[in-house]
Amino acid sequence: MDTRRAPRAVIDPKVRQVGFFAPPGQAQPSSSPPVSDLSPSSNSLSPVMIPPPRPVPFPAVPLSPLRRPSAGESIPVGSYNPSEFASPTASFSEEAPSPRRAHRGISRKFASSLPSGGFDFAASKPNNFPASSLKTVSVVNTPPGVSAFPDKKGSKAAFAEKDGGPSLEVQCEQSASSKSLKEKTSKAERRALQEAQRAAKATAKAEGSKAPVVASGEVTATNAKPVKASKAPSQKNDISSVVASEKKGGDRPPEKDRKKDVPQPRMQFDDKIRVEKAKKRAVVKQTEAKHRVELFRHLPQYEHGTRIPDLESKFFQLDPVHPAVYKVGSRYLAGDISGGNARCIAMLQAFQESIKDYSTPPEKTLARDLTAKMNCYVSFLIECRPLSISMGNAIKFLKTRIAKLPLTMSESEAKATLRSDIDRFINEKIILADMLIVRHAVTKIRDGDVLLTYGSSSAVEMILLHAHELGKLFRVVIVDSRPKLEGQLLLRRLLGKGLSCTYTHINAVSFIMHEVTRVFLGASSILSNGTVYSRVGTACIAMVAHEFHVPVLVCCEAYKFHERVQLDSICSNELGNPDTISKVPGRKEINYLDDWASNENLQLLNLIYDATPSDYVSMIITDYGMVPPTSVPVIVREYRREHLWI
Amino acid sequence: MDFQVVVLAGGTSKELIPLVSKEVPKALLPVANRPVLSYVLEFLEQSNLKHLIVVVEGEDAALRVGGWISSAYVDRLHVEVAAVPENIGTAGALRAIGHYLTAHDILVVSGDLVCDVPPGAVAAAHRRHDAVVTAMLCSAPVSGPSESGSSGGKDKTKKPGRYNIIGLDPTKQFLLFIAAGAEVEKDIRVQKSILRAVGQMEIRTDLMDAHLYAFKRSALQEILDQKESFQSLRQDVLPYLVRSQLRSELSLDVAQAEENGNDKVVSLDNKVMLSQLVANTSSSSFHELCAMGPNGSAPFPRKTHKCCVYIASKNKYCARLNSIQAFSDINRDVIGEASHLSGYSFSAHNNIIHSSAELGSKTTVGPQCMLGEGSQMGDKCSVKRSVLGRHCRIGSNVKVVNSVIMNHVTIGDGCSIQGSVICSNVQLQDRVVLRDCQVGAGFVVSAGSEYKGESLARK
């Protein structure tokens, strides 16, 4: 902790945003009584700090002191402080776990010893004032979201005020507003006046904290640099926030301070600010589902009905997305492609297509521009459906390949190299790996075996078919579960090849496990602590099999391994469409959950994946052979270089 | 997105005589004082489709349409106008411009479509399923025009069963059967093979083919080349594609697959495995299941292609201007319930009166009306649910209800016009009574005459 504390407390501006520094800043002599009341409380946990009930901090958490001047006029000073104090303990846990912990310790010390909160406050001001006065100017510029058709807008505003669908209306509105600002300076002036008043208010409030700034010039000097650096992005940020907030009455807090945050490994969807921000960037308009299970709020869940039509209607506006990528994305969204390997292959083939059609714009280098393009495609695909780990690994591979391209290589050569690299990845990492897995696994199948499998795994299917071709006599039990019923497809194909099968649902697994001699499971990913991350229900099967002393063999290609460690299936998972579990296909009379969305007390949970602890896995069959789950980190470590072909 | 857009603007349609003439081809018929084609062009422009090919029947009509487009859409759209001979049908028109088509997919839009369904949705559905053709279907108007007063009296043009009979699969994504309602006499024949493959077919009559299709170019051109006799997209090409979807004669599937590198015929084991990997784990439509044979492992997979549909939601407006009845309906809707299409801003009274229009004393213009630029009205007139064009001169005591009056029309005192369409430069002398009539351009109706349900035009 000490190593962490030293740099962060003095130099790094990151620390100050997280929230604990704010109260000391407020605790200047001029501040209101409840605030000064609070500053000692940061030294010892007093009953005042008891976090308010859970739902409250979500909308109201003020994230940092920087935001105060703009948001302050609507919120009384005293009212948000308790929630701010509560935030590190209750609702901020997903922010950035390690800094937070370090921080608590720091703030306890600092709150009493140093007036450091004051610097922070003042340092934020030069950042804030220009940005707010820039607002009016920025409106004149075309907002980034609409910049795709600026020429169209002008003519449209002139030609027809009311035009077309709802999405376009919004743009018209924006263009109209920007137009009026351009023409009538009076309105702009009025706005500037308003901003000035707002700013003046903020200055008045922050007056007390000004004095220590002057006293401790060296600290502000260290602060000044990051502030300046953050200026440009914050301005840019404001352009979009102004546009977005015009309808909402301009009470959106600017998020410029969050810019400096440590980039998070993944988006936490109960973090309102980030979600808002992501929404603005998003290509697909996504309305989030209303009733979400508390424990899984950090995962994205959207109203499923609304996304496909929206994506479809924007078809011709999505110029930056290559048609092949678009097609794959829309098929992910519609659920036409599922399964780790299939999704990965489809994505790579789409990338191949897009590389084929790619040409480097003048005055840009292929490596940089193509990487940017790939990022754009990947973020589009993420919007359609969160990436699987296999896809993440494949993208990482492709990006390293692009980055490693020699600068002297001509464009056509580079493209050909990349395309053949992708082909090689598909062949070696997926197809050959599957063949090797089949070769290894078949040795574990003996005559008279009863093999159980769950869902539909491509690797397991190949193993079964190959064993059948070798003339082994065995029986297959396919265990399936609602709502996807993927096992039926597998069943159909196995029956077509003449295998003898038993089909049952997961409810009956404890009964059927008596007769089973081996369990073969597929996996979406295997993490470095040996946890198998796979279709929901896999853990249940593995545990039952373990209880019955039936060996559990997990078949997984090594490109799906990941160095992450995961102990539960909560922190990273995917939520499916809740409607699919509330409706039973083919049985209209089961309609008890028809209007579940209107019931406040009901939340549906349709998890896609679960994590099987390594205790329940007897063996992992991978392209490097049959290994115990404890050997996964070895493979991840030793073969990572080979995976990326560095 | 590798789409090309072809707007089939037609020529002078027979159904619309006497409204259309040499001077006013169908594409330029005014709907709320804007040519009907402008609705299509703007509808495409909104979707960022700015490179269009407009196909017009007849050289004269093409010149007029081209002239209008270049004056109205200069700097906004990149439009190429192609003239094709008359009476070669929609398929013929596409055949004629075949060598201009280069994109992977083609969006064919009828020039008389007034709708607000995003065309991107059709294109996206087309791409997602990798279909040969995707048709847009919209819900047919419940009973044609809304029956009120005299407007519905035009039974002559309104056939009861003119909408399509459409067969859909249970997921409502694929087209299994299509027939125009007017052509069906007694019974319809549904192919057993398709029924067997799908298991369940939903036959609907409440949907209307909106004449907005997305075609795979290679497939379309192959059909047009092979089947010389095909005249119309709707009557020949689409039913042919639907009929043959499970025993496709198109060679493009193989060619296409080879391009994509997941062909089943190529003997590379890896490739086969790859395509199977993708296909097996994905939810497949009945096409793939049928292609793979009953056991899922036919030695030679049957060739299939997909015909998809995009069903527009009910709250979208969609209509085609293909009859006189439709003309007055659309005029009324664009000013009334689908007013967002018109692009005008409505006044507080829910009507549009141009600032240069002059109204006499005690003249009332009701809601859902439109009065064009420079029109003059005398005293004690009454206008209800009607569209009046530019520079009309209307006398006193005139009643106009549920009608469309185009530009430069002169109407004498004491006239009464109900449910009629009056074309440009018509002169109605005093005390004329018209009910459900169409008056062709330049016609003069003598004083005191009364007509009901007639079509008046210069001989």
Side-chain angles (χ1 to χ4, degrees), chain B residues 426-444:
Chain B
V426 169
Q427 197 181 346
L428 302 187
Q429 291 169 350
D430 293 354
R431 298 181 312 283
V432 169
V433 178
L434 294 178
R435 215 181 145 93
D436 306 325
C437 291
Q438 295 87 43
V439 186
F443 194 78
V444 179

mmCIF file with all atom_site columns, all heavy atoms in Angstrom, chain B residues 426-444:
data_model
loop_
_atom_site.group_PDB
_atom_site.id
_atom_site.type_symbol
_atom_site.label_atom_id
_atom_site.label_alt_id
_atom_site.label_comp_id
_atom_site.label_asym_id
_atom_site.label_entity_id
_atom_site.label_seq_id
_atom_site.pdbx_PDB_ins_code
_atom_site.Cartn_x
_atom_site.Cartn_y
_atom_site.Cartn_z
_atom_site.occupancy
_atom_site.B_iso_or_equiv
_atom_site.pdbx_formal_charge
_atom_site.auth_seq_id
_atom_site.auth_comp_id
_atom_site.auth_asym_id
_atom_site.auth_atom_id
_atom_site.pdbx_PDB_model_num
ATOM 1   N N   . VAL B 1 426 ? -57.537 23.696 -65.595 1.00 0.00 ? 426 VAL B N   1
ATOM 2   C CA  . VAL B 1 426 ? -58.957 23.421 -65.849 1.00 0.00 ? 426 VAL B CA  1
ATOM 3   C C   . VAL B 1 426 ? -59.737 24.684 -65.531 1.00 0.00 ? 426 VAL B C   1
ATOM 4   O O   . VAL B 1 426 ? -59.364 25.467 -64.644 1.00 0.00 ? 426 VAL B O   1
ATOM 5   C CB  . VAL B 1 426 ? -59.432 22.247 -64.972 1.00 0.00 ? 426 VAL B CB  1
ATOM 6   C CG1 . VAL B 1 426 ? -60.944 22.102 -64.994 1.00 0.00 ? 426 VAL B CG1 1
ATOM 7   C CG2 . VAL B 1 426 ? -58.788 20.963 -65.426 1.00 0.00 ? 426 VAL B CG2 1
ATOM 8   N N   . GLN B 1 427 ? -60.795 24.871 -66.280 1.00 0.00 ? 427 GLN B N   1
ATOM 9   C CA  . GLN B 1 427 ? -61.654 26.004 -65.986 1.00 0.00 ? 427 GLN B CA  1
ATOM 10  C C   . GLN B 1 427 ? -63.035 25.474 -65.654 1.00 0.00 ? 427 GLN B C   1
ATOM 11  O O   . GLN B 1 427 ? -63.651 24.767 -66.458 1.00 0.00 ? 427 GLN B O   1
ATOM 12  C CB  . GLN B 1 427 ? -61.698 26.916 -67.208 1.00 0.00 ? 427 GLN B CB  1
ATOM 13  C CG  . GLN B 1 427 ? -62.211 28.280 -66.851 1.00 0.00 ? 427 GLN B CG  1
ATOM 14  C CD  . GLN B 1 427 ? -62.267 29.170 -68.065 1.00 0.00 ? 427 GLN B CD  1
ATOM 15  O OE1 . GLN B 1 427 ? -61.692 28.858 -69.112 1.00 0.00 ? 427 GLN B OE1 1
ATOM 16  N NE2 . GLN B 1 427 ? -62.965 30.263 -67.934 1.00 0.00 ? 427 GLN B NE2 1
ATOM 17  N N   . LEU B 1 428 ? -63.515 25.784 -64.454 1.00 0.00 ? 428 LEU B N   1
ATOM 18  C CA  . LEU B 1 428 ? -64.886 25.424 -64.095 1.00 0.00 ? 428 LEU B CA  1
ATOM 19  C C   . LEU B 1 428 ? -65.684 26.722 -64.109 1.00 0.00 ? 428 LEU B C   1
ATOM 20  O O   . LEU B 1 428 ? -65.356 27.658 -63.383 1.00 0.00 ? 428 LEU B O   1
ATOM 21  C CB  . LEU B 1 428 ? -64.956 24.799 -62.701 1.00 0.00 ? 428 LEU B CB  1
ATOM 22  C CG  . LEU B 1 428 ? -64.150 23.540 -62.408 1.00 0.00 ? 428 LEU B CG  1
ATOM 23  C CD1 . LEU B 1 428 ? -64.503 23.017 -61.020 1.00 0.00 ? 428 LEU B CD1 1
ATOM 24  C CD2 . LEU B 1 428 ? -64.423 22.474 -63.432 1.00 0.00 ? 428 LEU B CD2 1
ATOM 25  N N   . GLN B 1 429 ? -66.700 26.772 -64.927 1.00 0.00 ? 429 GLN B N   1
ATOM 26  C CA  . GLN B 1 429 ? -67.495 27.990 -64.965 1.00 0.00 ? 429 GLN B CA  1
ATOM 27  C C   . GLN B 1 429 ? -68.484 27.981 -63.809 1.00 0.00 ? 429 GLN B C   1
ATOM 28  O O   . GLN B 1 429 ? -68.494 27.058 -62.996 1.00 0.00 ? 429 GLN B O   1
ATOM 29  C CB  . GLN B 1 429 ? -68.177 28.102 -66.326 1.00 0.00 ? 429 GLN B CB  1
ATOM 30  C CG  . GLN B 1 429 ? -67.133 28.374 -67.394 1.00 0.00 ? 429 GLN B CG  1
ATOM 31  C CD  . GLN B 1 429 ? -67.646 28.252 -68.798 1.00 0.00 ? 429 GLN B CD  1
ATOM 32  O OE1 . GLN B 1 429 ? -68.762 27.782 -69.015 1.00 0.00 ? 429 GLN B OE1 1
ATOM 33  N NE2 . GLN B 1 429 ? -66.851 28.657 -69.770 1.00 0.00 ? 429 GLN B NE2 1
ATOM 34  N N   . ASP B 1 430 ? -69.318 29.013 -63.735 1.00 0.00 ? 430 ASP B N   1
ATOM 35  C CA  . ASP B 1 430 ? -70.146 29.198 -62.544 1.00 0.00 ? 430 ASP B CA  1
ATOM 36  C C   . ASP B 1 430 ? -71.098 28.015 -62.305 1.00 0.00 ? 430 ASP B C   1
ATOM 37  O O   . ASP B 1 430 ? -71.558 27.353 -63.234 1.00 0.00 ? 430 ASP B O   1
ATOM 38  C CB  . ASP B 1 430 ? -70.996 30.462 -62.693 1.00 0.00 ? 430 ASP B CB  1
ATOM 39  C CG  . ASP B 1 430 ? -70.113 31.695 -62.693 1.00 0.00 ? 430 ASP B CG  1
ATOM 40  O OD1 . ASP B 1 430 ? -68.896 31.515 -62.461 1.00 0.00 ? 430 ASP B OD1 1
ATOM 41  O OD2 . ASP B 1 430 ? -70.611 32.787 -62.935 1.00 0.00 ? 430 ASP B OD2 1
ATOM 42  N N   . ARG B 1 431 ? -71.361 27.786 -61.053 1.00 0.00 ? 431 ARG B N   1
ATOM 43  C CA  . ARG B 1 431 ? -72.382 26.849 -60.586 1.00 0.00 ? 431 ARG B CA  1
ATOM 44  C C   . ARG B 1 431 ? -72.208 25.422 -61.117 1.00 0.00 ? 431 ARG B C   1
ATOM 45  O O   . ARG B 1 431 ? -73.158 24.730 -61.395 1.00 0.00 ? 431 ARG B O   1
ATOM 46  C CB  . ARG B 1 431 ? -73.789 27.368 -60.924 1.00 0.00 ? 431 ARG B CB  1
ATOM 47  C CG  . ARG B 1 431 ? -74.127 28.674 -60.257 1.00 0.00 ? 431 ARG B CG  1
ATOM 48  C CD  . ARG B 1 431 ? -75.507 29.121 -60.608 1.00 0.00 ? 431 ARG B CD  1
ATOM 49  N NE  . ARG B 1 431 ? -75.800 29.066 -62.030 1.00 0.00 ? 431 ARG B NE  1
ATOM 50  C CZ  . ARG B 1 431 ? -75.370 29.953 -62.925 1.00 0.00 ? 431 ARG B CZ  1
ATOM 51  N NH1 . ARG B 1 431 ? -74.603 30.968 -62.539 1.00 0.00 ? 431 ARG B NH1 1
ATOM 52  N NH2 . ARG B 1 431 ? -75.682 29.843 -64.192 1.00 0.00 ? 431 ARG B NH2 1
ATOM 53  N N   . VAL B 1 432 ? -70.968 25.008 -61.267 1.00 0.00 ? 432 VAL B N   1
ATOM 54  C CA  . VAL B 1 432 ? -70.721 23.619 -61.663 1.00 0.00 ? 432 VAL B CA  1
ATOM 55  C C   . VAL B 1 432 ? -70.784 22.746 -60.407 1.00 0.00 ? 432 VAL B C   1
ATOM 56  O O   . VAL B 1 432 ? -70.307 23.147 -59.349 1.00 0.00 ? 432 VAL B O   1
ATOM 57  C CB  . VAL B 1 432 ? -69.328 23.499 -62.325 1.00 0.00 ? 432 VAL B CB  1
ATOM 58  C CG1 . VAL B 1 432 ? -68.933 22.047 -62.493 1.00 0.00 ? 432 VAL B CG1 1
ATOM 59  C CG2 . VAL B 1 432 ? -69.297 24.219 -63.640 1.00 0.00 ? 432 VAL B CG2 1
ATOM 60  N N   . VAL B 1 433 ? -71.400 21.597 -60.527 1.00 0.00 ? 433 VAL B N   1
ATOM 61  C CA  . VAL B 1 433 ? -71.429 20.668 -59.400 1.00 0.00 ? 433 VAL B CA  1
ATOM 62  C C   . VAL B 1 433 ? -70.722 19.386 -59.826 1.00 0.00 ? 433 VAL B C   1
ATOM 63  O O   . VAL B 1 433 ? -71.145 18.727 -60.776 1.00 0.00 ? 433 VAL B O   1
ATOM 64  C CB  . VAL B 1 433 ? -72.879 20.359 -58.971 1.00 0.00 ? 433 VAL B CB  1
ATOM 65  C CG1 . VAL B 1 433 ? -72.876 19.350 -57.830 1.00 0.00 ? 433 VAL B CG1 1
ATOM 66  C CG2 . VAL B 1 433 ? -73.584 21.629 -58.548 1.00 0.00 ? 433 VAL B CG2 1
ATOM 67  N N   . LEU B 1 434 ? -69.627 19.055 -59.118 1.00 0.00 ? 434 LEU B N   1
ATOM 68  C CA  . LEU B 1 434 ? -68.872 17.842 -59.440 1.00 0.00 ? 434 LEU B CA  1
ATOM 69  C C   . LEU B 1 434 ? -68.866 16.936 -58.228 1.00 0.00 ? 434 LEU B C   1
ATOM 70  O O   . LEU B 1 434 ? -68.663 17.381 -57.104 1.00 0.00 ? 434 LEU B O   1
ATOM 71  C CB  . LEU B 1 434 ? -67.419 18.179 -59.800 1.00 0.00 ? 434 LEU B CB  1
ATOM 72  C CG  . LEU B 1 434 ? -67.164 18.975 -61.080 1.00 0.00 ? 434 LEU B CG  1
ATOM 73  C CD1 . LEU B 1 434 ? -65.679 19.243 -61.208 1.00 0.00 ? 434 LEU B CD1 1
ATOM 74  C CD2 . LEU B 1 434 ? -67.657 18.219 -62.295 1.00 0.00 ? 434 LEU B CD2 1
ATOM 75  N N   . ARG B 1 435 ? -69.088 15.692 -58.463 1.00 0.00 ? 435 ARG B N   1
ATOM 76  C CA  . ARG B 1 435 ? -69.059 14.716 -57.377 1.00 0.00 ? 435 ARG B CA  1
ATOM 77  C C   . ARG B 1 435 ? -68.317 13.492 -57.883 1.00 0.00 ? 435 ARG B C   1
ATOM 78  O O   . ARG B 1 435 ? -68.733 12.885 -58.871 1.00 0.00 ? 435 ARG B O   1
ATOM 79  C CB  . ARG B 1 435 ? -70.497 14.352 -57.027 1.00 0.00 ? 435 ARG B CB  1
ATOM 80  C CG  . ARG B 1 435 ? -70.719 14.089 -55.569 1.00 0.00 ? 435 ARG B CG  1
ATOM 81  C CD  . ARG B 1 435 ? -72.190 13.718 -55.383 1.00 0.00 ? 435 ARG B CD  1
ATOM 82  N NE  . ARG B 1 435 ? -72.296 12.740 -54.340 1.00 0.00 ? 435 ARG B NE  1
ATOM 83  C CZ  . ARG B 1 435 ? -72.516 13.067 -53.066 1.00 0.00 ? 435 ARG B CZ  1
ATOM 84  N NH1 . ARG B 1 435 ? -72.697 14.307 -52.739 1.00 0.00 ? 435 ARG B NH1 1
ATOM 85  N NH2 . ARG B 1 435 ? -72.580 12.131 -52.154 1.00 0.00 ? 435 ARG B NH2 1
ATOM 86  N N   . ASP B 1 436 ? -67.213 13.160 -57.228 1.00 0.00 ? 436 ASP B N   1
ATOM 87  C CA  . ASP B 1 436 ? -66.413 11.986 -57.593 1.00 0.00 ? 436 ASP B CA  1
ATOM 88  C C   . ASP B 1 436 ? -66.041 11.979 -59.066 1.00 0.00 ? 436 ASP B C   1
ATOM 89  O O   . ASP B 1 436 ? -66.214 10.980 -59.768 1.00 0.00 ? 436 ASP B O   1
ATOM 90  C CB  . ASP B 1 436 ? -67.172 10.686 -57.252 1.00 0.00 ? 436 ASP B CB  1
ATOM 91  C CG  . ASP B 1 436 ? -67.600 10.663 -55.811 1.00 0.00 ? 436 ASP B CG  1
ATOM 92  O OD1 . ASP B 1 436 ? -66.843 11.178 -54.978 1.00 0.00 ? 436 ASP B OD1 1
ATOM 93  O OD2 . ASP B 1 436 ? -68.698 10.166 -55.524 1.00 0.00 ? 436 ASP B OD2 1
ATOM 94  N N   . CYS B 1 437 ? -65.560 13.096 -59.527 1.00 0.00 ? 437 CYS B N   1
ATOM 95  C CA  . CYS B 1 437 ? -65.171 13.189 -60.927 1.00 0.00 ? 437 CYS B CA  1
ATOM 96  C C   . CYS B 1 437 ? -63.672 13.381 -61.041 1.00 0.00 ? 437 CYS B C   1
ATOM 97  O O   . CYS B 1 437 ? -63.017 13.823 -60.093 1.00 0.00 ? 437 CYS B O   1
ATOM 98  C CB  . CYS B 1 437 ? -65.855 14.379 -61.597 1.00 0.00 ? 437 CYS B CB  1
ATOM 99  S SG  . CYS B 1 437 ? -67.615 14.128 -61.782 1.00 0.00 ? 437 CYS B SG  1
ATOM 100 N N   . GLN B 1 438 ? -63.141 13.085 -62.226 1.00 0.00 ? 438 GLN B N   1
ATOM 101 C CA  . GLN B 1 438 ? -61.777 13.464 -62.541 1.00 0.00 ? 438 GLN B CA  1
ATOM 102 C C   . GLN B 1 438 ? -61.828 14.351 -63.769 1.00 0.00 ? 438 GLN B C   1
ATOM 103 O O   . GLN B 1 438 ? -62.447 13.988 -64.765 1.00 0.00 ? 438 GLN B O   1
ATOM 104 C CB  . GLN B 1 438 ? -60.899 12.244 -62.838 1.00 0.00 ? 438 GLN B CB  1
ATOM 105 C CG  . GLN B 1 438 ? -60.697 11.333 -61.659 1.00 0.00 ? 438 GLN B CG  1
ATOM 106 C CD  . GLN B 1 438 ? -61.802 10.304 -61.551 1.00 0.00 ? 438 GLN B CD  1
ATOM 107 O OE1 . GLN B 1 438 ? -62.217 9.726  -62.556 1.00 0.00 ? 438 GLN B OE1 1
ATOM 108 N NE2 . GLN B 1 438 ? -62.307 10.079 -60.341 1.00 0.00 ? 438 GLN B NE2 1
ATOM 109 N N   . VAL B 1 439 ? -61.196 15.463 -63.675 1.00 0.00 ? 439 VAL B N   1
ATOM 110 C CA  . VAL B 1 439 ? -61.206 16.398 -64.793 1.00 0.00 ? 439 VAL B CA  1
ATOM 111 C C   . VAL B 1 439 ? -59.787 16.507 -65.314 1.00 0.00 ? 439 VAL B C   1
ATOM 112 O O   . VAL B 1 439 ? -58.875 16.886 -64.567 1.00 0.00 ? 439 VAL B O   1
ATOM 113 C CB  . VAL B 1 439 ? -61.730 17.771 -64.343 1.00 0.00 ? 439 VAL B CB  1
ATOM 114 C CG1 . VAL B 1 439 ? -61.866 18.684 -65.536 1.00 0.00 ? 439 VAL B CG1 1
ATOM 115 C CG2 . VAL B 1 439 ? -63.062 17.618 -63.634 1.00 0.00 ? 439 VAL B CG2 1
ATOM 116 N N   . GLY B 1 440 ? -59.597 16.152 -66.565 1.00 0.00 ? 440 GLY B N   1
ATOM 117 C CA  . GLY B 1 440 ? -58.262 16.135 -67.151 1.00 0.00 ? 440 GLY B CA  1
ATOM 118 C C   . GLY B 1 440 ? -57.741 17.537 -67.370 1.00 0.00 ? 440 GLY B C   1
ATOM 119 O O   . GLY B 1 440 ? -58.482 18.530 -67.308 1.00 0.00 ? 440 GLY B O   1
ATOM 120 N N   . ALA B 1 441 ? -56.460 17.625 -67.653 1.00 0.00 ? 441 ALA B N   1
ATOM 121 C CA  . ALA B 1 441 ? -55.812 18.923 -67.751 1.00 0.00 ? 441 ALA B CA  1
ATOM 122 C C   . ALA B 1 441 ? -56.413 19.753 -68.885 1.00 0.00 ? 441 ALA B C   1
ATOM 123 O O   . ALA B 1 441 ? -56.735 19.232 -69.959 1.00 0.00 ? 441 ALA B O   1
ATOM 124 C CB  . ALA B 1 441 ? -54.319 18.722 -67.989 1.00 0.00 ? 441 ALA B CB  1
ATOM 125 N N   . GLY B 1 442 ? -56.589 21.032 -68.624 1.00 0.00 ? 442 GLY B N   1
ATOM 126 C CA  . GLY B 1 442 ? -57.035 21.955 -69.649 1.00 0.00 ? 442 GLY B CA  1
ATOM 127 C C   . GLY B 1 442 ? -58.499 21.838 -70.031 1.00 0.00 ? 442 GLY B C   1
ATOM 128 O O   . GLY B 1 442 ? -58.957 22.473 -70.990 1.00 0.00 ? 442 GLY B O   1
ATOM 129 N N   . PHE B 1 443 ? -59.262 21.082 -69.338 1.00 0.00 ? 443 PHE B N   1
ATOM 130 C CA  . PHE B 1 443 ? -60.676 20.882 -69.682 1.00 0.00 ? 443 PHE B CA  1
ATOM 131 C C   . PHE B 1 443 ? -61.486 22.085 -69.202 1.00 0.00 ? 443 PHE B C   1
ATOM 132 O O   . PHE B 1 443 ? -61.156 22.728 -68.212 1.00 0.00 ? 443 PHE B O   1
ATOM 133 C CB  . PHE B 1 443 ? -61.179 19.616 -68.995 1.00 0.00 ? 443 PHE B CB  1
ATOM 134 C CG  . PHE B 1 443 ? -62.498 19.100 -69.515 1.00 0.00 ? 443 PHE B CG  1
ATOM 135 C CD1 . PHE B 1 443 ? -62.558 18.403 -70.713 1.00 0.00 ? 443 PHE B CD1 1
ATOM 136 C CD2 . PHE B 1 443 ? -63.664 19.318 -68.804 1.00 0.00 ? 443 PHE B CD2 1
ATOM 137 C CE1 . PHE B 1 443 ? -63.758 17.924 -71.186 1.00 0.00 ? 443 PHE B CE1 1
ATOM 138 C CE2 . PHE B 1 443 ? -64.876 18.844 -69.281 1.00 0.00 ? 443 PHE B CE2 1
ATOM 139 C CZ  . PHE B 1 443 ? -64.925 18.146 -70.479 1.00 0.00 ? 443 PHE B CZ  1
ATOM 140 N N   . VAL B 1 444 ? -62.534 22.374 -69.936 1.00 0.00 ? 444 VAL B N   1
ATOM 141 C CA  . VAL B 1 444 ? -63.404 23.467 -69.539 1.00 0.00 ? 444 VAL B CA  1
ATOM 142 C C   . VAL B 1 444 ? -64.786 22.888 -69.273 1.00 0.00 ? 444 VAL B C   1
ATOM 143 O O   . VAL B 1 444 ? -65.375 22.238 -70.133 1.00 0.00 ? 444 VAL B O   1
ATOM 144 C CB  . VAL B 1 444 ? -63.479 24.541 -70.641 1.00 0.00 ? 444 VAL B CB  1
ATOM 145 C CG1 . VAL B 1 444 ? -64.402 25.663 -70.219 1.00 0.00 ? 444 VAL B CG1 1
ATOM 146 C CG2 . VAL B 1 444 ? -62.102 25.050 -70.976 1.00 0.00 ? 444 VAL B CG2 1
#
